[in-house]
PDB file of all heavy atoms in Angstrom:
ATOM      1  N   SER A 242      -4.466   5.331  -3.337  1.00  0.00           N
ATOM      2  CA  SER A 242      -5.438   4.789  -4.275  1.00  0.00           C
ATOM      3  C   SER A 242      -6.803   4.631  -3.618  1.00  0.00           C
ATOM      4  O   SER A 242      -6.902   4.189  -2.469  1.00  0.00           O
ATOM      5  CB  SER A 242      -4.949   3.437  -4.776  1.00  0.00           C
ATOM      6  OG  SER A 242      -5.859   2.861  -5.651  1.00  0.00           O
ATOM      7  N   GLU A 243      -7.832   5.045  -4.317  1.00  0.00           N
ATOM      8  CA  GLU A 243      -9.232   4.929  -3.886  1.00  0.00           C
ATOM      9  C   GLU A 243      -9.635   5.944  -2.814  1.00  0.00           C
ATOM     10  O   GLU A 243     -10.769   5.899  -2.337  1.00  0.00           O
ATOM     11  CB  GLU A 243      -9.559   3.510  -3.397  1.00  0.00           C
ATOM     12  CG  GLU A 243      -9.397   2.466  -4.487  1.00  0.00           C
ATOM     13  CD  GLU A 243      -9.720   1.072  -4.017  1.00  0.00           C
ATOM     14  OE1 GLU A 243     -10.014   0.889  -2.831  1.00  0.00           O
ATOM     15  OE2 GLU A 243      -9.674   0.159  -4.858  1.00  0.00           O
ATOM     16  N   HIS A 244      -8.737   6.839  -2.449  1.00  0.00           N
ATOM     17  CA  HIS A 244      -9.135   7.948  -1.574  1.00  0.00           C
ATOM     18  C   HIS A 244      -9.784   9.013  -2.451  1.00  0.00           C
ATOM     19  O   HIS A 244      -9.150   9.568  -3.346  1.00  0.00           O
ATOM     20  CB  HIS A 244      -7.924   8.543  -0.856  1.00  0.00           C
ATOM     21  CG  HIS A 244      -7.497   7.759   0.329  1.00  0.00           C
ATOM     22  ND1 HIS A 244      -6.604   8.245   1.255  1.00  0.00           N
ATOM     23  CD2 HIS A 244      -7.862   6.536   0.762  1.00  0.00           C
ATOM     24  CE1 HIS A 244      -6.441   7.345   2.209  1.00  0.00           C
ATOM     25  NE2 HIS A 244      -7.179   6.302   1.917  1.00  0.00           N
ATOM     26  N   ASN A 245     -11.053   9.332  -2.179  1.00  0.00           N
ATOM     27  CA  ASN A 245     -11.703  10.289  -3.068  1.00  0.00           C
ATOM     28  C   ASN A 245     -11.533  11.729  -2.614  1.00  0.00           C
ATOM     29  O   ASN A 245     -11.888  12.657  -3.326  1.00  0.00           O
ATOM     30  CB  ASN A 245     -13.188   9.940  -3.274  1.00  0.00           C
ATOM     31  CG  ASN A 245     -13.971   9.964  -1.970  1.00  0.00           C
ATOM     32  OD1 ASN A 245     -13.577  10.610  -1.014  1.00  0.00           O
ATOM     33  ND2 ASN A 245     -15.087   9.247  -1.947  1.00  0.00           N
ATOM     34  N   ARG A 246     -10.993  11.925  -1.409  1.00  0.00           N
ATOM     35  CA  ARG A 246     -10.773  13.303  -0.939  1.00  0.00           C
ATOM     36  C   ARG A 246      -9.289  13.629  -0.969  1.00  0.00           C
ATOM     37  O   ARG A 246      -8.460  12.845  -0.498  1.00  0.00           O
ATOM     38  CB  ARG A 246     -11.335  13.476   0.455  1.00  0.00           C
ATOM     39  CG  ARG A 246     -12.843  13.494   0.441  1.00  0.00           C
ATOM     40  CD  ARG A 246     -13.451  13.702   1.789  1.00  0.00           C
ATOM     41  NE  ARG A 246     -14.895  13.859   1.668  1.00  0.00           N
ATOM     42  CZ  ARG A 246     -15.516  15.025   1.689  1.00  0.00           C
ATOM     43  NH1 ARG A 246     -14.820  16.128   1.827  1.00  0.00           N
ATOM     44  NH2 ARG A 246     -16.815  15.077   1.561  1.00  0.00           N
ATOM     45  N   LEU A 247      -8.976  14.803  -1.498  1.00  0.00           N
ATOM     46  CA  LEU A 247      -7.594  15.239  -1.618  1.00  0.00           C
ATOM     47  C   LEU A 247      -7.518  16.680  -1.148  1.00  0.00           C
ATOM     48  O   LEU A 247      -8.342  17.518  -1.500  1.00  0.00           O
ATOM     49  CB  LEU A 247      -7.122  15.108  -3.077  1.00  0.00           C
ATOM     50  CG  LEU A 247      -5.651  15.409  -3.372  1.00  0.00           C
ATOM     51  CD1 LEU A 247      -5.155  14.550  -4.535  1.00  0.00           C
ATOM     52  CD2 LEU A 247      -5.405  16.874  -3.642  1.00  0.00           C
ATOM     53  N   TYR A 248      -6.481  16.984  -0.357  1.00  0.00           N
ATOM     54  CA  TYR A 248      -6.343  18.290   0.283  1.00  0.00           C
ATOM     55  C   TYR A 248      -4.964  18.878  -0.012  1.00  0.00           C
ATOM     56  O   TYR A 248      -3.978  18.151  -0.102  1.00  0.00           O
ATOM     57  CB  TYR A 248      -6.474  18.164   1.805  1.00  0.00           C
ATOM     58  CG  TYR A 248      -7.642  17.346   2.274  1.00  0.00           C
ATOM     59  CD1 TYR A 248      -7.578  15.959   2.319  1.00  0.00           C
ATOM     60  CD2 TYR A 248      -8.817  17.960   2.701  1.00  0.00           C
ATOM     61  CE1 TYR A 248      -8.641  15.200   2.753  1.00  0.00           C
ATOM     62  CE2 TYR A 248      -9.889  17.204   3.147  1.00  0.00           C
ATOM     63  CZ  TYR A 248      -9.800  15.825   3.172  1.00  0.00           C
ATOM     64  OH  TYR A 248     -10.856  15.084   3.602  1.00  0.00           O
ATOM     65  N   TRP A 249      -4.914  20.196  -0.085  1.00  0.00           N
ATOM     66  CA  TRP A 249      -3.650  20.930  -0.154  1.00  0.00           C
ATOM     67  C   TRP A 249      -3.554  21.858   1.056  1.00  0.00           C
ATOM     68  O   TRP A 249      -4.521  22.545   1.405  1.00  0.00           O
ATOM     69  CB  TRP A 249      -3.566  21.765  -1.430  1.00  0.00           C
ATOM     70  CG  TRP A 249      -3.316  20.975  -2.685  1.00  0.00           C
ATOM     71  CD1 TRP A 249      -4.237  20.569  -3.604  1.00  0.00           C
ATOM     72  CD2 TRP A 249      -2.039  20.525  -3.170  1.00  0.00           C
ATOM     73  NE1 TRP A 249      -3.622  19.885  -4.624  1.00  0.00           N
ATOM     74  CE2 TRP A 249      -2.284  19.847  -4.386  1.00  0.00           C
ATOM     75  CE3 TRP A 249      -0.740  20.620  -2.696  1.00  0.00           C
ATOM     76  CZ2 TRP A 249      -1.253  19.268  -5.138  1.00  0.00           C
ATOM     77  CZ3 TRP A 249       0.273  20.045  -3.441  1.00  0.00           C
ATOM     78  CH2 TRP A 249       0.018  19.375  -4.648  1.00  0.00           C
ATOM     79  N   TYR A 250      -2.349  21.858   1.662  1.00  0.00           N
ATOM     80  CA  TYR A 250      -2.051  22.740   2.782  1.00  0.00           C
ATOM     81  C   TYR A 250      -0.715  23.423   2.494  1.00  0.00           C
ATOM     82  O   TYR A 250       0.111  22.933   1.726  1.00  0.00           O
ATOM     83  CB  TYR A 250      -1.919  21.948   4.090  1.00  0.00           C
ATOM     84  CG  TYR A 250      -3.187  21.300   4.581  1.00  0.00           C
ATOM     85  CD1 TYR A 250      -3.600  20.057   4.102  1.00  0.00           C
ATOM     86  CD2 TYR A 250      -3.969  21.922   5.559  1.00  0.00           C
ATOM     87  CE1 TYR A 250      -4.764  19.457   4.561  1.00  0.00           C
ATOM     88  CE2 TYR A 250      -5.131  21.323   6.029  1.00  0.00           C
ATOM     89  CZ  TYR A 250      -5.515  20.097   5.533  1.00  0.00           C
ATOM     90  OH  TYR A 250      -6.663  19.507   5.993  1.00  0.00           O
ATOM     91  N   ARG A 251      -0.486  24.529   3.188  1.00  0.00           N
ATOM     92  CA  ARG A 251       0.787  25.231   3.086  1.00  0.00           C
ATOM     93  C   ARG A 251       1.316  25.423   4.499  1.00  0.00           C
ATOM     94  O   ARG A 251       0.549  25.744   5.420  1.00  0.00           O
ATOM     95  CB  ARG A 251       0.600  26.585   2.408  1.00  0.00           C
ATOM     96  CG  ARG A 251       1.907  27.369   2.222  1.00  0.00           C
ATOM     97  CD  ARG A 251       1.671  28.621   1.418  1.00  0.00           C
ATOM     98  NE  ARG A 251       0.916  29.618   2.148  1.00  0.00           N
ATOM     99  CZ  ARG A 251       0.526  30.772   1.614  1.00  0.00           C
ATOM    100  NH1 ARG A 251       0.788  31.043   0.355  1.00  0.00           N
ATOM    101  NH2 ARG A 251      -0.150  31.635   2.352  1.00  0.00           N
ATOM    102  N   GLN A 252       2.627  25.228   4.649  1.00  0.00           N
ATOM    103  CA  GLN A 252       3.242  25.368   5.961  1.00  0.00           C
ATOM    104  C   GLN A 252       4.492  26.224   5.858  1.00  0.00           C
ATOM    105  O   GLN A 252       5.394  25.912   5.078  1.00  0.00           O
ATOM    106  CB  GLN A 252       3.612  23.997   6.542  1.00  0.00           C
ATOM    107  CG  GLN A 252       4.165  24.050   7.948  1.00  0.00           C
ATOM    108  CD  GLN A 252       4.517  22.682   8.488  1.00  0.00           C
ATOM    109  OE1 GLN A 252       4.796  21.750   7.745  1.00  0.00           O
ATOM    110  NE2 GLN A 252       4.494  22.539   9.814  1.00  0.00           N
ATOM    111  N   THR A 253       4.533  27.288   6.640  1.00  0.00           N
ATOM    112  CA  THR A 253       5.734  28.120   6.716  1.00  0.00           C
ATOM    113  C   THR A 253       6.503  27.756   7.975  1.00  0.00           C
ATOM    114  O   THR A 253       5.963  27.136   8.901  1.00  0.00           O
ATOM    115  CB  THR A 253       5.374  29.608   6.702  1.00  0.00           C
ATOM    116  OG1 THR A 253       4.418  29.864   7.741  1.00  0.00           O
ATOM    117  CG2 THR A 253       4.779  30.014   5.369  1.00  0.00           C
ATOM    118  N   LEU A 254       7.742  28.166   8.015  1.00  0.00           N
ATOM    119  CA  LEU A 254       8.663  27.756   9.075  1.00  0.00           C
ATOM    120  C   LEU A 254       8.138  28.128  10.456  1.00  0.00           C
ATOM    121  O   LEU A 254       7.728  29.263  10.698  1.00  0.00           O
ATOM    122  CB  LEU A 254      10.019  28.412   8.838  1.00  0.00           C
ATOM    123  CG  LEU A 254      11.214  27.769   9.536  1.00  0.00           C
ATOM    124  CD1 LEU A 254      11.386  26.330   9.054  1.00  0.00           C
ATOM    125  CD2 LEU A 254      12.468  28.586   9.273  1.00  0.00           C
ATOM    126  N   GLY A 255       8.082  27.143  11.336  1.00  0.00           N
ATOM    127  CA  GLY A 255       7.670  27.391  12.706  1.00  0.00           C
ATOM    128  C   GLY A 255       6.174  27.457  12.919  1.00  0.00           C
ATOM    129  O   GLY A 255       5.717  27.725  14.036  1.00  0.00           O
ATOM    130  N   GLN A 256       5.408  27.219  11.866  1.00  0.00           N
ATOM    131  CA  GLN A 256       3.956  27.279  11.958  1.00  0.00           C
ATOM    132  C   GLN A 256       3.325  25.928  11.650  1.00  0.00           C
ATOM    133  O   GLN A 256       3.967  25.054  11.059  1.00  0.00           O
ATOM    134  CB  GLN A 256       3.403  28.324  10.972  1.00  0.00           C
ATOM    135  CG  GLN A 256       3.938  29.723  11.177  1.00  0.00           C
ATOM    136  CD  GLN A 256       3.502  30.315  12.494  1.00  0.00           C
ATOM    137  OE1 GLN A 256       2.326  30.237  12.864  1.00  0.00           O
ATOM    138  NE2 GLN A 256       4.423  30.911  13.234  1.00  0.00           N
ATOM    139  N   GLY A 257       2.071  25.775  12.041  1.00  0.00           N
ATOM    140  CA  GLY A 257       1.346  24.595  11.627  1.00  0.00           C
ATOM    141  C   GLY A 257       0.838  24.754  10.207  1.00  0.00           C
ATOM    142  O   GLY A 257       0.763  25.870   9.689  1.00  0.00           O
TER     143      GLY A 257
END
Side-chain angles (χ1 to χ4, degrees):
Chain A
S242 179
E243 298 180 357
H244 280 193
N245 61 23
R246 288 182 174 260
L247 185 148
Y248 312 82
W249 286 99
Y250 294 84
R251 182 174 70 184
Q252 184 180 25
T253 54
L254 200 61
Q256 302 294 314

